[in-house]
Amino acid sequence: MMGEVMLFGEYQGMLNSFQLKDWDYIKIMQFTGIVDKNKKDVYEDDIVKYQHSIDSKEYIGQVVYNREFASFWLKTGNDSGFALLGQQKIIEVIGNLYETPELLKKN
């Protein structure tokens, strides 16, 4: 096996791909290779909380893939975001875009 498959919603718990009725509802969440401050794996479209080192404010953002820089970034609101690499000690996974999208609205 090359990786891990995680299913959410009505498909959660189904391990046999033949049970899936429609692949259009499946979103592959790419593992970033990064773990958060609690040693939890960070995936694309995860929602994470972090405290900015300059203004000490707490922010909530979405993990996205930045094609321009070929790396995973944390995007908050309308800003361009910042690279996740090196931020493991200050980020914490609190949800994901598919199960807890309301977390992004709190930002």
Side-chain angles (χ1 to χ4, degrees), residues 6-9 12 47 95-103:
M6 297 175 66
L7 301 174
F8 299 104
Q12 189 169 3
I47 298 172
N96 67 60
L97 188 61
Y98 307 101
E99 294 184 308
T100 51
E102 66 278 2
L103 292 174

Side-chain angles (χ1 to χ4, degrees), residues 7 15 22 28 33 40 55 57 69 83 85 91 97 102:
L7 301 174
L15 298 177
D22 191 348
I28 304 296
K40 184 173 181 178
D55 63 13
K57 288 184 181 178
F69 294 100
L85 193 59
I91 64 171
L97 188 61
E102 66 278 2

Side-chain angles (χ1 to χ4, degrees), residues 57-69:
K57 288 184 181 178
E58 193 171 85
Y59 294 90
I60 294 175
Q62 177 186 351
V63 176
V64 297
Y65 185 74
N66 185 319
R67 290 178 185 253
E68 182 180 352
F69 294 100

Side-chain angles (χ1 to χ4, degrees), residues 5-70:
V5 175
M6 297 175 66
L7 301 174
F8 299 104
E10 67 181 280
Y11 300 112
Q12 189 169 3
M14 293 182 178
L15 298 177
N16 185 340
S17 63
F18 294 108
Q19 294 175 316
L20 299 176
K21 295 183 182 2
D22 191 348
W23 281 94
D24 291 338
Y25 295 105
I26 304 300
K27 168 66 174 156
I28 304 296
M29 294 173 61
Q30 178 68 42
F31 177 54
T32 64
I34 297 170
V35 294
D36 73 358
K37 68 181 187 177
N38 299 318
K39 304 206 182 317
K40 184 173 181 178
D41 292 345
V42 178
Y43 288 85
E44 179 181 18
D45 291 331
D46 272 347
I47 298 172
V48 299
K49 177 171 58 173
Y50 73 100
Q51 187 169 7
H52 198 282
S53 60
I54 295 174
D55 63 13
S56 297
K57 288 184 181 178
E58 193 171 85
Y59 294 90
I60 294 175
Q62 177 186 351
V63 176
V64 297
Y65 185 74
N66 185 319
R67 290 178 185 253
E68 182 180 352
F69 294 100

